[in-house]
Amino acid sequence: VQLQASGGGLVQAGGSLRLSCGASGRAFSRYSMGWFRQAPGKEREFVTAINWNGGVTKYLDSVKGRFTISRENAKNTVYLQMNSLKPEDTAVYYCAAAENGNYYGYAMDYWGKGTQVTVSS
């Protein structure tokens, strides 16, 4: 499975960005999908995840109410809508997939290369 994230960029605090992650292969609809981020000098952290059918989502506390994860299985794509962005959201954002459709965690099976999100104050 290959994952390709896009949609990152530079935005002012309070602004919005929408990240997309496209996946290859026919099994996308069975995977759980997640977004993680890594800021300079910090460890990678879990941001959000969605189960195989979109019925369950999980969020990092600091992004609840601002970020929304969604998926379109027909398009093999998962999205991350980020609103009310803060400078502390600045990081490289990675999408990841797990073959266990209900898994949420760091032991994802497949990782994309990441897209940079920079929020200026």
Side-chain angles (χ1 to χ4, degrees):
V1 175
Q2 292 185 330
L3 303 173
Q4 181 64 54
S6 61
L10 173 63
V11 64
Q12 289 188 332
S16 298
L17 282 174
R18 188 194 197 201
L19 305 184
S20 299
C21 176
S24 64
R26 300 180 181 179
F28 175 84
S29 62
R30 300 200 298 267
Y31 297 156
S32 69
M33 299 295 297
W35 288 96
F36 297 74
R37 67 187 181 187
Q38 188 166 18
K42 295 187 178 181
E43 295 187 352
R44 188 172 298 186
E45 69 174 349
F46 169 86
V47 176
T48 181
I50 187 167
N51 79 327
W52 65 279
N53 67 357
V56 180
T57 56
K58 305 287 186 182
Y59 292 94
L60 178 69
D61 283 348
S62 63
V63 308
K64 285 181 181 177
R66 300 189 298 121
F67 290 11
T68 303
I69 190 171
S70 61
R71 66 188 297 160
E72 282 190 76
N73 286 345
K75 295 185 177 181
N76 278 21
T77 303
V78 63
Y79 304 98
L80 179 60
Q81 178 66 45
M82 304 186 294
N83 298 329
S84 302
L85 282 161
K86 303 176 180 180
E88 51 263 44
D89 295 317
T90 295
V92 177
Y93 283 71
Y94 299 88
C95 66
E99 293 185 353
N100 179 340
N102 291 301
Y103 176 77
Y104 313 99
Y106 289 87
M108 304 294 272
D109 297 300
Y110 308 101
W111 292 84
K113 287 189 176 180
T115 184
Q116 176 71 46
V117 172
T118 302
V119 184
S120 63
S121 57

